[in-house]
Amino acid sequence: MSYFNVPKIEFEGPESKNPFAFKQYNPEEEVAGKKMKHHLRFAAAYWHCMRNDLSDPFGQGTALMPWDDGGDSLENALRRVDVFFEFLEKLGLEYYCFHDRDLAPEMNDLAESNRLLEAVVEKLEARQKETGVKLLWGTACLFKDRKYAQGGATSPYLDVYAYAAAQVKAALDATNRLGGLGYTFWGGREGYATLWNTDMKRELDHLAQFLHMAVDYKKKIGFEGPFYIEPKPREPTTHQYDTDAATCLNFLREYGLLEHFRLNIETNHATLAGHSMFHDLQVAIGAGMLGSIDANRGDELIGWDTDQFPTDIYLTTEVMLAVLGMGGFTTGGLNFDAKRRRESHEPEDLFHAHIGGMDAFARGLKIAAAIREDGRLAEFVQQRYASFDSDLGRRVEKGEATLEELQRLALENPEPMIPSGRQEMLEGLINEFI
Ligand code: XUL
Ligand code: CO
């Protein structure tokens, strides 16, 4: 039984005109000492591929999903697993990510929801064994259902908080059973709409205790992967507590959670926070805390979380420069948390979207590797800070210098004349490789 009238997607090279072929992504090709597929570790998002009907606030869904009867039956949920695995295999995608409620429906009864989830997980386990596909991370959806309208782990109501905890427990069990490499917390409703009704400090304390309980449970069941926090400043709430990488790091540090977590940085979330993806990646990497990436992009003309497929070569180059710079992913990867436009409603558009994203990242990888191999950019940056390689500079960096010593240096020398930052020259240099 085949659900997609699409061939297996192979690498045909930049000359190919076949829309169902990779032009850049050649999984087995070595770049910077490693196969492309091992650098990139692409994952598909179950929610966008299988559950996103492409509706928007102004109109109904448009996606054609002839395999899906739209109902909440177990049979329908199990059939989606087969559709998804055909999709993964045809694209050569080796990883995926899910929310509990993408896999199986939320029923009006937690025990029944858990039962359906377990049945789907059993099937996923079998299909993973058969195909070698792996779970990059799992997560629990604590934002769709109406009970989470005022938060999950930051809800003012203990019964909702308990429900959220029960969902995380079940999602952790599912992730552990499927050999997940990590587990993500994205707090879409963990924030507030107005401070007139909100005790912010109490909510943050509750969130931290929630995460501590999850850490305890992870140890208890022997789940070895890291937890990820995925920052986002707003949407759906007006203000989300996990605003950006720096805010999350501070929260984790303040509550003694740092060692159990890494960050999962998403492009469109970084830009909503007023940063570039490159910026938030560097914040995470600087702290040794980048775990994984949700690959997508926004639209500067729209300004909300459009979750578009990443096709901008500058963006993918910057991301891969950052990833290569930190020595590559360990447990993480590039998860396409991206959806087709509402106008791209045919099943084959799922393929065009992923081919475009994978090719864009393959090019970004090759360009980033060439920039690193060339060395001029790194050399420039290193030279820019060379005065700190002096004896006094080193002592400043080690925390051994004093204001008096620095005053002496300042008094001994003439007024500083600083060299150019050469931004335009460097932008031209990058363009040599794009
Ligand atoms: C929402 C978003 C989520 C998380 C997982 O903006 O990115 O899909 O990745 O909950
Ligand atoms: Co995401």
Side-chain angles (χ1 to χ4, degrees), residues 1-240:
M1 174 83 193
S2 170
Y3 296 97
F4 296 100
N5 187 20
V6 165
K8 168 122 180 66
I9 312 301
E10 308 282 2
F11 172 71
E12 291 186 4
E15 305 304 320
S16 168
K17 300 281 182 269
N18 176 4
F20 292 110
F22 295 119
K23 319 292 187 305
Q24 301 288 336
Y25 179 58
N26 186 4
E28 303 299 323
E29 184 184 325
E30 292 235 345
V31 176
K34 217 156 79 176
K35 287 185 179 174
M36 284 179 112
K37 64 176 184 184
H38 293 144
H39 278 292
L40 296 164
R41 294 165 65 90
F42 289 128
Y46 204 92
W47 53 101
H48 283 311
C49 295
M50 287 300 109
R51 306 309 305 277
N52 195 328
D53 67 0
L54 307 181
S55 55
D56 71 14
F58 302 96
Q60 66 196 30
T62 57
L64 298 176
M65 298 187 273
W67 52 80
D68 196 314
D69 64 20
D72 279 347
S73 70
L74 179 59
E75 194 197 351
N76 198 29
L78 292 174
R79 192 166 44 242
R80 287 189 202 110
V81 173
D82 287 325
V83 178
F84 187 61
F85 272 74
E86 180 186 333
F87 166 78
L88 294 177
E89 281 192 276
K90 284 190 161 165
L91 272 163
L93 284 163
E94 293 183 4
Y95 300 91
Y96 72 106
C97 301
F98 67 75
H99 298 88
D100 50 356
R101 300 307 183 232
D102 312 327
L103 300 180
E106 171 122 43
M107 309 305 276
N108 228 348
D109 166 1
L110 182 59
E112 179 63 359
S113 300
N114 286 343
R115 191 184 70 78
L116 294 179
L117 177 64
E118 275 165 34
V120 177
V121 166
E122 186 176 331
K123 174 148 188 177
L124 285 166
E125 190 179 31
R127 297 298 325 256
Q128 282 185 215
K129 277 212 179 97
E130 226 174 273
T131 57
V133 162
K134 291 180 272 296
L135 176 63
L136 192 69
W137 49 260
T139 187
C141 177
L142 307 182
F143 46 90
K144 264 202 177 139
D145 195 80
R146 62 191 306 167
K147 62 182 155 290
Y148 295 128
Q150 297 176 46
T154 60
S155 172
Y157 311 108
L158 182 61
D159 52 352
V160 177
Y161 188 88
Y163 211 106
Q167 246 186 274
V168 166
K169 179 183 173 297
L172 264 169
D173 285 335
T175 302
N176 195 33
R177 177 166 173 192
L178 294 171
L181 298 174
Y183 182 91
T184 293
F185 291 86
W186 172 63
R189 305 279 175 193
E190 315 302 9
Y192 60 84
T194 172
L195 280 176
W196 295 125
N197 66 12
T198 301
D199 185 336
M200 195 200 292
K201 170 79 170 101
R202 211 165 171 190
E203 291 199 359
L204 284 165
D205 289 350
H206 293 172
L207 176 59
Q209 291 311 335
F210 190 94
L211 297 176
H212 272 294
M213 285 187 266
V215 168
D216 291 344
Y217 189 67
K218 156 189 147 128
K219 288 185 188 153
K220 192 163 171 190
I221 62 175
F223 177 69
E224 285 175 3
F227 281 167
Y228 303 127
I229 288 214
E230 184 178 317
K232 184 174 183 180
R234 59 177 180 277
E235 198 196 347
T237 56
T238 312
H239 182 106
Q240 274 160 224

Side-chain angles (χ1 to χ4, degrees), residues 230 266 269 294 337:
E230 184 178 317
E266 175 164 330
H269 297 180
D294 268 12
D337 192 354

